[in-house]
C-alpha cells in the first residue's frame, strides 16, 4: 500500500519537533558567532595598481600593435610578480623571514579584460604589513622587470594606504552567522522528519488503519485519573444519599 503524507501531517511534525528545530538553529548561530568573533583571526587586504605601458615621448603616436603586445605581456607579468625572482627580494628588503612560497600565498594578481592595468592585492592579519608587502612588491617588480624582460613598460598607478579604522575582509561575521542559522534550520527540519520517520509507535486510530489495513469499528476512550476520582466520589455521594433516604423512611 502506497503511503501519502498530507500537508497537515507535515505541519504537525514540524510543530511537534519545533523545540528541536529552534534549538539546533540557535546553537548553530551561537557557535558560528563565537568562532567568528573570538577564534578566527581577522584578515586585512591592501591593494595597488600597476600599468603596463611603453614610455613615450611627445612625438610618439598611439600604436594599437604596441597595446596588444602589452596586453599579451600582462599574463607573463602576473606570473613574474609572484615568482621567487621578485618575492625573495621583497622578503629580504622588508626583513620578513618568509620564503617566496609563503609570500605567494598572500597575493592575488588580477587584470581586467583588455586592460593594461594589473591589480595586485595582499592579505595579512596586520593591515600595515599587508600595505608594506604590496607596495614593496610593486616597487621591486618595476625595478627588476627591465633586467628580466629587457623592457621598461611598467609604472605604478596607486600605492596601498592604511586607514586608521581599517576593516577586515574576513571573517564576515554577520554572513557566517546567517549561513549557520540557515544550515541549522535545515538540519533541524531534516532531523525532525528523520525522527518522525523512525518513530514506529502507534499514536492514533489512523496509524492502526495504515498498519493493519482494516477499518476501525470502535474506539475505547481514555479517562484520566482525575475523572476516575470524580466518578468514585459521585458514586459515594449517591450511595450516602440513598442510605439517608432509606433510613428516613
Amino acid at each position: 500500500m502506497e503511503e501519502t503524507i498530507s500537508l497537515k501531517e507535515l505541519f504537525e511534525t514540524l510543530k511537534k519537533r519545533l523545540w528541536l528545530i529552534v534549538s539546533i538553529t540557535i546553537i548553530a548561530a551561537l557557535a558560528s558567532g563565537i568562532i567568528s568573533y573570538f577564534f578566527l583571526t581577522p584578515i586585512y587586504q591592501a591593494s595597488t595598481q600597476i600599468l603596463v605601458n611603453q614610455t613615450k615621448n611627445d612625438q610618439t603616436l598611439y600604436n594599437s600593435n604596441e597595446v596588444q603586445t602589452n596586453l599579451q605581456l600582462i599574463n607573463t607579468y602576473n606570473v613574474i610578480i609572484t615568482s621567487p625572482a621578485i618575492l625573495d627580494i621583497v622578503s629580504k628588503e622588508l626583513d620578513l623571514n618568509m620564503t617566496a612560497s609563503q609570500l605567494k600565498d598572500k597575493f592575488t594578481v588580477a587584470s581586467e579584460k583588455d586592460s593594461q592595468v594589473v591589480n595586485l592585492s595582499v592579505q595579512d592579519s596586520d593591515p600595515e604589513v599587508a600595505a608594506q608587502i604590496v607596495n614593496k612588491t610593486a616597487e621591486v617588480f618595476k625595478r627588476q622587470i627591465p633586467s628580466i624582460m629587457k623592457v621598461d613598460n611598467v609604472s605604478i598607478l596607486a600605492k596601498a594606504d592604511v586607514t586608521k579604522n581599517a576593516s577586515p575582509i574576513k571573517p564576515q561575521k554577520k554572513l557566517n552567522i546567517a549561513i549557520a542559522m540557515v544550515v541549522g534550520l535545515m538540519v533541524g527540519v531534516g532531523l525532525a522528519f528523520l525522527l518522525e520517520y523512525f518513530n514506529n509507535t502507534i499514536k492514533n486510530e489512523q496509524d492502526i488503519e495504515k498498519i493493519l489495513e482494516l477499518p476501525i469499528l470502535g474506539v475505547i476512550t481514555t479517562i484520566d485519573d482525575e475523572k476516575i476520582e470524580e466518578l468514585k466520589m459521585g458514586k459515594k455521594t449517591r450511595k450516602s444519599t440513598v442510605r439517608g433516604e432509606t433510613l428516613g423512611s
Side-chain angles (χ1 to χ4, degrees):
M1 183 177 178
E2 192 174 329
E3 288 190 14
T4 58
I5 301 176
S6 65
L7 288 175
K8 183 179 179 181
E9 290 176 322
L10 293 178
F11 284 119
E12 286 294 330
T13 300
L14 293 177
K15 183 179 178 181
K16 178 181 176 182
R17 308 283 183 180
L18 184 61
W19 63 271
L20 177 66
I21 298 171
V22 173
S23 298
I24 292 177
T25 303
I26 293 175
I27 291 172
L30 287 175
S32 176
I34 291 171
I35 292 172
S36 298
Y37 279 92
F38 299 105
F39 291 96
L40 294 181
T41 303
I43 301 298
Y44 299 85
Q45 180 172 286
S47 302
T48 186
Q49 290 181 321
I50 299 171
L51 175 65
V52 179
N53 194 24
Q54 294 284 356
T55 303
K56 299 178 176 62
N57 54 38
D58 295 337
Q59 286 77 31
T60 305
L61 299 177
Y62 177 83
N63 190 330
S64 60
N65 291 330
E66 186 178 285
V67 172
Q68 289 299 320
T69 301
N70 289 330
L71 290 174
Q72 292 172 4
L73 282 173
I74 285 176
N75 290 330
T76 303
Y77 286 178
N78 289 349
V79 177
I80 294 174
I81 289 173
T82 55
S83 68
I86 303 298
L87 297 186
D88 281 341
I89 298 174
V90 172
S91 180
K92 183 178 179 181
E93 292 188 2
L94 292 179
D95 195 21
L96 296 176
N97 294 322
M98 298 177 67
T99 65
S101 177
Q102 291 172 325
L103 266 179
K104 185 177 180 180
D105 292 337
K106 296 177 178 289
F107 278 86
T108 300
V109 183
S111 56
E112 298 292 335
K113 184 179 180 181
D114 298 331
S115 172
Q116 294 177 250
V117 177
V118 177
N119 297 309
L120 185 61
S121 301
V122 171
Q123 295 181 3
D124 193 86
S125 57
D126 189 332
E128 293 185 1
V129 172
Q132 290 175 0
I133 292 174
V134 76
N135 287 332
K136 177 60 69 172
T137 302
E139 177 190 323
V140 171
F141 176 71
K142 181 183 177 181
R143 191 173 70 226
Q144 294 294 118
I145 201 65
S147 60
I148 295 174
M149 296 291 293
K150 308 302 180 184
V151 290
D152 185 10
N153 63 343
V154 174
S155 57
I156 300 173
L157 289 181
K159 288 188 175 182
D161 187 22
V162 181
T163 59
K164 291 183 179 180
N165 298 319
S167 300
I169 60 168
K170 57 184 180 182
Q172 299 182 18
K173 301 171 184 176
K174 293 181 179 179
L175 179 61
N176 289 348
I177 293 173
I179 293 174
M181 289 181 67
V182 173
V183 173
L185 182 63
M186 293 172 62
V187 170
V189 172
L191 187 59
F193 284 115
L194 188 64
L195 291 174
E196 191 67 20
Y197 177 78
F198 285 109
N199 186 3
N200 295 323
T201 58
I202 297 175
K203 298 174 282 296
N204 49 44
E205 306 87 57
Q206 287 76 21
D207 290 342
I208 297 175
E209 282 188 313
K210 288 180 181 179
I211 295 171
L212 300 180
E213 299 182 8
L214 295 173
I216 295 175
L217 301 178
V219 177
I220 300 175
T221 58
T222 57
I223 303 175
D224 56 24
D225 294 338
E226 291 182 1
K227 290 184 178 180
I228 293 174
E229 290 296 328
E230 289 176 2
L231 290 173
K232 288 181 178 179
M233 292 298 294
K235 287 181 179 180
K236 290 179 180 180
T237 303
R238 285 196 297 272
K239 287 180 179 180
S240 299
T241 304
V242 172
R243 287 176 181 175
E245 290 177 354
T246 305
L247 292 173
S249 61

